[in-house]
Structures are given as structure tokens and as C-alpha cells.
Amino acid sequence: MSNKKLSGDVYHPTEEVINNANAKCDELYNFAERDYEGFWAKEAEELHWFQKWNKVLDDSNKPFFKWFTDGKTNICYNCLDVHLDSARRNKLALIWEGEDGEFKSFSYFALHRDVNKFANVLKSLGVHKGDRVTIYMGRVPELAIAMLACARIGAVHSVVYGGFSVEALHERIDDSESKVLITCDGAYQRGKIIELKQISDEALQRAATVSSVVVIKRTGHDINMEPGRDMWYHDLMSLPIASNDENVEMMDAEDPLFLLYTSGTTGKPKAILHVHGGYMVGTYTTLKYVFDIHEEDRFWCAADPGWITGHSYIVYGPLLNGVTSFMYEGAPTYPYPSRWWQMIEKYGINILYTAPTAIRGLMRFGEAWPKRHDLSTLRLLGTVGEPINPEAWKWYYKVIGNEKCPIMDTWWQTETGMFMITPMPCTPLKPGSGTLPFPGLQMDILDEEGNPVKANEEGFLVIKNPWPAMLRTIWNDPDRYVEQYWSKYDGMYLTGDSAKRDEDGYYWIIGRVDDVIKVSGYRLGSAEIESALVSHPAVVEAAAIALPHEIKGNAIHAYVILRSGYKRTDTLVEELRKHVGHEMGPIAKPEHIEVVDSLPKTRSGKIMRRVLKAKALGVDPGNISTLAE
Ligand code: PRX
């Protein structure tokens, strides 16, 4: 591949990177192309199975694919127990730094201990295999412990991002019918406290299924503890119920591992379901090859564990690979813009994986901040979540990676569970392109009728073959799973993104083609923001769209029609922004709210958000023949 003459701005990996890589790229691509199931079976064999599978891929009931059928395993066992009989036992599994400088670390032995103990606590709280547990926390190590403890006993975790607020949390607890909520007293963010427990209390007023709440003490400020319902984590962990009795549940490969809510085109967020077997194999393999994991590496995925990136590549992927995962609690620039660079130097981080929005945010402060620190331990860099503009890519490459670290621009989704379009260390890079599908994956870009588009033309990005870490369904809504992902083109998974492919076959993601908005890489739905707005007494109708933003990638702009009797004032507009923040979380606060008399709608009453967007950008709105007036 590296011998081919490529067009455009190309960055070739150094000989050192290629020679150091634990995989020979060409061999991997060839093997996966020749024998797709054999490729995945070989990877699965590197993990522990209590009972081996009978079939690698079962596609007898499309699109409800199954992987490693009849195989018995447990992802938590593979993250922890398998490392205890080797030198990894005393190796650090997790290093954590708090925003306030507090530090914690866990060896594989220590992490196993705590996870096992907490799993016994959960069992004593009545959590059984298949029960759902909502986890609503800041970025603290106990979040990983809680996830792993659930997985260990076969409970299904549903992590709700700690930046979400009352309504978002309430909806997710209700929909998953969680028995237990695990939260913190508070979380630090930019030196302030986010009142996680208080938000939980409000959400629980209307959530009937939760019988116990476990609270981790992080901030130590005064909070309400409901007698009979709320218990401190540290108290529970010191009771005899937190025993060392082994408790690993033998899971079927297809048993649920977690639910993760994400925004879609319409209405309420949907819970994406991932399972023990295929998700484990997918995250293990992709991390190993794409980030070329070496035994001694310290890997830092700077995402939030509350999103898929954190699930797959802070918690599961790194631990499955037996590597040291680093987690940082707070904001990148707190208290100084050099915070991240300082930690890379301090802990000797080898691989940094983050989002374009963070890079753009840090770039704004100039080169002087990173230049003060020794970043020479870095070997590879990564980005995810939204397209990266070439300017930010080059800054990351030059200033952070010192022109020696390849940048893995990984395209994937909550639904895919693992990297899908991504370079490998040996891949020549083009700034802004995720390059090529991961070995064995068949992807395409289609026009409205389902024909592949020509080189450099825009179309709908689809995936043509199943992959192990794929979502299995939408929780409680299999019809929506079929409808949303598998109905536009026969037998193909619709990603919801538009993309182009250049003459070298390199993929360039353009963005979402549905009503999903990516703000700073976070995924939100126009419909959710609109319902938050209309839940305010002053608003009768609302529309939310995304407009380009220099740092965040996109910013939310909202249009509202006021109820009669209400008048536009700056105070009201500010109140509406705050209201969205209270209902959904600060990331969903619209940048700008405009009061209007009417909204463009189709004759059937659907708001035409694309017309609003075109108007705001001063461009041609395209076909408006369905517009009512
Ligand atoms: O639009 C794509 C964008 O993020 C969407 C998926 O969002 P989410 O489910 O929250 O998962 C994000 C982290 C895996 C995609 O449909 N996206 C993700 N990665 C990239 C990207 N856009 C461009 N380049 C990427 N590397």
C-alpha cells in the first residue's frame, strides 16, 4: 500500500513506526479479505472462552446478526482475571488524576479486587443477571469499577453522561427500568461542582424502578441521603457483603453487556445494545492494531466514559489488551492551558486519543504551552467524533506529535462499538481523512437510488457486511432498529453520515445527514432540544439546527414561537437557554435563540430544519416544493 503514489497532501509513516508495529498491515488486510470469519476467529482465540463458539457469524436472521454463537465468556473476566497469573498482575491497569490534582492508581490485581468486591455488593442489593443498572458519575475510577462489576455478574450497565441533567437522566432510567443507580455526590468541572446527587434525586422523584442508590464520595460537600435508599460506596465496600468470593457469571456471547443511549433522527434517545462476545473481540482487536498496543504502553483516551469512546477505549479495549489506561477527571485547560501536556510529561503517556474540538480549543492558546513540556514519550496520536480540519490536524501532528507520531483519525459510532474507518500505523495519511475501512470491512458511498457514487462525489455512507462489535438492536424497539439502520438500502447498514471517497479510495466524512447534531463531538438530537424548549411555559413551538462553530465544530441555534402573552426579552431568552441546560445538560444549551412568528413546515406539518439552516447560512435552500407557505 505504501508504494502507491497517492494524490494530495500525504504524510508517510516513518520507517521506525512501520518496523515497530506489531502488525504487518498488508498481511492483515489480505487475511481479512480472504477469510473474514477466519480473521475474527483468530482474534477471538486470543481471548478467554469458558466454552468455544460453534459458529463465528450467524446471519440466518438478518439484520439480527449473531457472532460467536454458543460461545461462553465474560468481558470482565477477560479484562482482569486473565492478567492475574502473569507479570501483568502488578502492572498498573488504571491511572487516574483528578482535576484538583488528586491521584489514584490500580494494579490489575487491585482493580480485580475492587471490581469483585463491588460485584458482590451489587448482588447483595438484589442485582441479578440481566438486570439494568444506571451509572451517572463524573470521570472517576469508580465509574470503571462500576461498569466492570456489572459486566462481571451479567448485569447490564447503562452509563448516562455526567454532563446530562434531570430530564435526560430520568428518561434513561425509566426506559431501561434500572434497579440500581450508581452516582457521586458531585463531580469537579473547571473547579466547580456539578451536583450529580441533587440531579439524581430530582430524576428519581419520577423514576419508580430504582430501589437502591450507591453514592461515591468525590467532592465531600453536603448532600441529601435518602434513608433506606441511598448508601455510600465506601461504607458498602467495608461491609462483609463486599467479600472476595469469586462471582464471575458465565455469559453467552450474545448476552447483553450494556445499553448506551444516543440521539437519533426523531423523538426520544434510543438505547443501543451491545453484547459480551462480539463487542469484546471487536474492541480488543481494533485497539491492538490501530494504536499498535505494546505491553509497556500508557494509553490515554481523553473522552468521557459516559460516551461510547470511553466505554470502548478507556475501559474495555485497554484492559482487554492488558495495557495501562489513563483517565483524567477535568477540563483540558484547567487551571492552565498546559494541563494536558503536563500530565503527558508526568505520566509518560505514549498514545493520546482525543477529539478535534479539544485540539482546536488547545491550539487557540498557542504553541508555547505544549512547548514547555517534554512530550517525547508520545508515539501515536488519535482523533474521533467529528471531521478534523486540516489546520488542527497539522498542529496536532507538528506541535504535539513532533512530526513523528501518525494520527489515527478513527471514524465510528455508538452503534458500531469499534473503529470502522481508520488508518493503521503503516497507512500514509491525508489530513482530514479517516483513510480506509478496517481490515475486512466493506463500505460504500451511495446515491439516493443506491448506486455507488463516483470518486469525490458526496453520498450516503453505508456498511455492507456485519462486524463483531455491531449493535444488536435498539433496546425494547427492534422495529426501530430495522427501520432506522437497515431499511433504506437492502442488506446494508445506513450510518446517517454523508461522505466522499477520493481517487485513492480514501474516505472523507462530511457530516450527519439526519437531525443529529454534533457539538464538540457530543451527539445530540434536534428533536430532544426542541422538546426541552417546548417544555417551558413560554414556548409553543421550537426548531433546533446546527451551524458551524470554529471550536465546537457545530453550535446549536434555536428558533422559538412564543405563547400569546409572552414577549421577547433578553431575560426570557436567557431563561430559555438555562431551561434547556437544566432539562438536558449544559452541552445542549443553544448558542443563540431567535424568537420568530412562524417556522417553515411541510404541508404535513414537519418542520423543515434545512430551510432554516440555509437561511441562516445565506445559501440556496434547495428543493422547497413541499413547503406549506
Ligand atoms: O458523524 C460521525 C461522527 O460521529 C458520529 C457518531 O457519533 P457517536 O455515536 O457519538 O460516536 C462518536 C465516537 C465514536 C458519526 O456518525 N464521527 C465520529 N468519528 C468521526 C466522525 N466524523 C468524522 N470523523 C471521525 N473520525
Side-chain angles (χ1 to χ4, degrees):
M1 182 180 18
S2 42
N3 300 330
K4 201 165 119 188
K5 177 99 185 78
L6 301 171
S7 63
D9 196 7
V10 182
Y11 290 68
H12 288 275
T14 60
E15 284 301 314
E16 196 187 340
V17 168
I18 297 175
N19 295 336
N20 226 341
N22 57 34
K24 300 287 156 259
C25 290
D26 290 345
E27 282 172 24
L28 274 190
Y29 285 105
N30 291 339
F31 177 21
E33 211 161 289
R34 214 176 48 243
D35 179 7
Y36 188 56
E37 289 180 36
F39 170 84
W40 286 113
K42 183 166 174 290
E43 295 304 325
E45 272 158 18
E46 293 180 10
L47 296 157
H48 180 86
W49 297 80
F50 302 114
Q51 179 185 303
K52 203 177 163 179
W53 57 89
N54 286 324
K55 213 167 171 356
V56 176
L57 168 64
D58 175 356
D59 57 2
S60 57
N61 184 25
K62 294 174 191 165
F64 296 93
F65 297 93
K66 290 180 179 170
W67 284 82
F68 309 106
T69 49
D70 300 326
K72 303 273 183 249
T73 189
N74 182 303
I75 194 170
C76 174
Y77 188 88
N78 274 288
C79 284
L80 303 173
D81 304 55
V82 298
H83 307 307
L84 298 183
D85 289 334
S86 69
R88 283 183 186 158
R89 179 187 178 86
N90 294 322
K91 171 178 175 176
L92 292 184
L94 190 64
I95 303 178
W96 173 83
E97 188 169 301
E99 198 184 68
D100 57 353
E102 196 183 331
F103 165 85
K104 279 188 192 172
S105 66
F106 297 78
S107 65
Y108 273 92
F109 175 82
L111 192 60
H112 169 265
R113 254 287 136 86
D114 278 6
V115 167
N116 195 64
K117 279 164 76 120
F118 190 53
N120 281 327
V121 168
L122 289 176
K123 278 172 84 169
S124 74
L125 294 178
V127 178
H128 301 294
K129 182 175 175 179
D131 287 345
R132 274 81 58 208
V133 171
T134 296
I135 300 175
Y136 176 64
M137 295 167 69
R139 265 181 246 179
V140 288
E142 290 80 3
L143 172 46
I145 294 172
M147 289 165 70
L148 290 159
C150 288
R152 192 166 188 84
I153 57 170
V156 182
H157 59 72
S158 163
V159 180
V160 177
Y161 168 56
F164 275 139
S165 197
V166 179
E167 198 43 46
L169 176 61
H170 166 239
E171 250 179 25
R172 287 157 176 79
I173 294 176
D174 245 15
D175 186 73
S176 62
E177 299 173 289
S178 288
K179 251 188 178 171
V180 170
L181 171 69
I182 307 171
T183 187
C184 299
D185 50 355
Y188 287 118
Q189 183 70 16
R190 296 197 167 280
K192 294 208 186 90
I193 292 177
I194 303 174
E195 297 283 350
L196 295 178
K197 178 61 169 60
Q198 195 182 315
I199 296 170
S200 300
D201 285 344
E202 275 188 59
L204 287 177
Q205 279 171 11
R206 285 169 294 145
T209 55
V210 171
S211 52
S212 309
V213 179
V214 179
V215 188
I216 285 109
K217 188 173 260 183
R218 169 63 189 123
T219 49
H221 70 302
D222 275 345
I223 53 157
N224 163 53
M225 291 290 278
E226 202 71 30
R229 185 194 72 183
D230 302 351
M231 287 152 277
W232 288 106
Y233 174 84
H234 58 265
D235 284 344
L236 291 168
M237 289 291 269
S238 61
L239 294 175
I241 51 166
S243 73
N244 288 329
D245 295 350
E246 272 300 330
N247 47 28
V248 183
E249 194 73 36
M250 208 192 279
M251 304 300 287
D252 189 274
E254 285 293 314
D255 275 338
L257 168 64
F258 65 83
L259 302 179
L260 191 53
Y261 285 84
T262 192
S263 302
T265 308
T266 50
K268 290 201 313 186
K270 53 196 175 186
I272 301 301
L273 176 75
H274 284 288
V275 299
H276 271 254
Y279 175 81
M280 170 175 83
V281 177
T283 51
Y284 166 73
T285 309
T286 47
L287 183 66
K288 179 177 65 169
Y289 290 133
V290 172
F291 282 109
D292 188 32
I293 296 299
H294 292 190
E295 187 64 48
E296 64 283 4
D297 279 340
R298 289 189 163 182
F299 177 77
W300 180 12
C301 167
D304 195 285
W307 300 83
I308 191 69
T309 315
H311 280 55
S312 298
Y313 300 111
I314 297 178
V315 181
Y316 291 115
L319 299 179
L320 288 167
N321 278 281
V323 77
T324 304
S325 185
F326 176 69
M327 190 197 277
Y328 165 60
E329 179 181 40
T333 52
Y334 189 85
Y336 306 111
S338 58
R339 181 67 189 260
W340 272 21
W341 319 128
Q342 209 180 336
M343 291 188 297
I344 289 174
E345 175 174 345
K346 179 171 168 191
Y347 298 107
I349 302 293
N350 305 103
I351 304 163
L352 171 67
Y353 182 40
T354 183
T357 191
I359 300 162
R360 289 191 293 260
L362 289 160
M363 192 172 129
R364 189 165 56 134
F365 294 100
E367 291 184 17
W369 294 96
K371 284 265 150 71
R372 271 188 221 162
H373 294 276
D374 177 1
L375 307 181
S376 62
T377 51
L378 286 173
R379 217 180 75 234
L380 282 163
L381 299 172
T383 162
V384 60
E386 50 177 326
I388 182 162
N389 46 314
E391 196 197 353
W393 193 100
K394 287 177 189 165
W395 188 84
Y396 196 27
Y397 185 76
K398 196 168 148 247
V399 180
I400 307 307
N402 195 22
E403 302 189 28
K404 69 177 175 65
C405 307
I407 299 177
M408 304 294 118
D409 180 348
T410 59
W411 177 92
W412 58 296
Q413 307 178 302
T414 307
E415 292 88 339
T416 70
M418 63 179 220
F419 307 145
M420 299 299 280
I421 299 176
T422 175
M424 302 267 247
C426 61
T427 312
L429 305 171
K430 299 188 188 188
S433 167
T435 75
L436 304 164
F438 188 76
L441 292 175
Q442 295 166 22
M443 307 193 58
D444 212 340
I445 300 173
L446 307 179
D447 65 14
E448 196 57 53
E449 282 72 47
N451 306 307
V453 298
K454 295 199 194 86
N456 297 311
E457 276 180 15
E458 188 176 337
F460 298 100
L461 180 68
V462 296
I463 308 170
K464 300 198 320 198
N465 57 349
W467 62 100
M470 66 196 300
L471 76 162
R472 293 306 192 261
T473 188
I474 293 175
W475 179 251
N476 279 339
D477 206 348
D479 294 345
R480 191 166 167 202
Y481 166 71
V482 177
E483 158 64 28
Q484 178 115 22
Y485 301 108
W486 301 95
S487 62
K488 188 170 172 82
Y489 305 112
D490 193 29
M492 292 184 215
Y493 170 90
L494 185 73
T495 63
D497 277 11
S498 68
K500 290 183 188 177
R501 199 169 34 195
D502 69 16
E503 46 288 343
D504 299 317
Y506 275 42
Y507 284 75
W508 299 77
I509 305 295
I510 295 160
R512 299 291 305 192
V513 278
D514 49 13
D515 291 314
V516 167
I517 301 181
K518 292 290 260 165
V519 181
S520 302
Y522 294 124
R523 181 163 160 181
L524 301 164
S526 297
E528 290 164 78
I529 301 160
E530 290 159 6
S531 358
L533 281 165
V534 294
S535 73
H536 187 281
V539 179
V540 246
E541 266 193 284
I545 59 165
L547 292 179
H549 186 279
E550 208 184 325
I551 306 281
K552 300 177 189 171
N554 291 296
I556 300 162
H557 286 244
Y559 299 83
V560 295
I561 301 178
L562 295 180
R563 200 173 290 284
S564 61
Y566 285 91
K567 270 218 176 76
R568 188 209 173 281
T569 60
D570 289 347
T571 323
L572 178 62
V573 167
E574 194 42 40
E575 192 183 310
L576 292 178
R577 290 185 66 242
K578 278 205 185 123
H579 178 72
V580 177
H582 179 261
E583 291 290 297
M584 286 185 68
I587 47 159
K589 267 191 193 172
E591 192 85 0
H592 180 79
I593 298 182
E594 196 173 321
V595 174
V596 292
D597 295 327
S598 67
L599 289 167
K601 284 189 190 161
T602 60
R603 277 183 277 279
S604 59
K606 198 167 173 275
I607 296 171
M608 293 180 82
R609 299 188 184 104
R610 96 184 141 76
V611 174
L612 286 170
K613 186 162 178 169
K615 186 162 173 266
L617 295 172
V619 299
D620 179 10
N623 183 358
I624 50 166
S625 58
T626 54
L627 197 63
E629 42 187 278

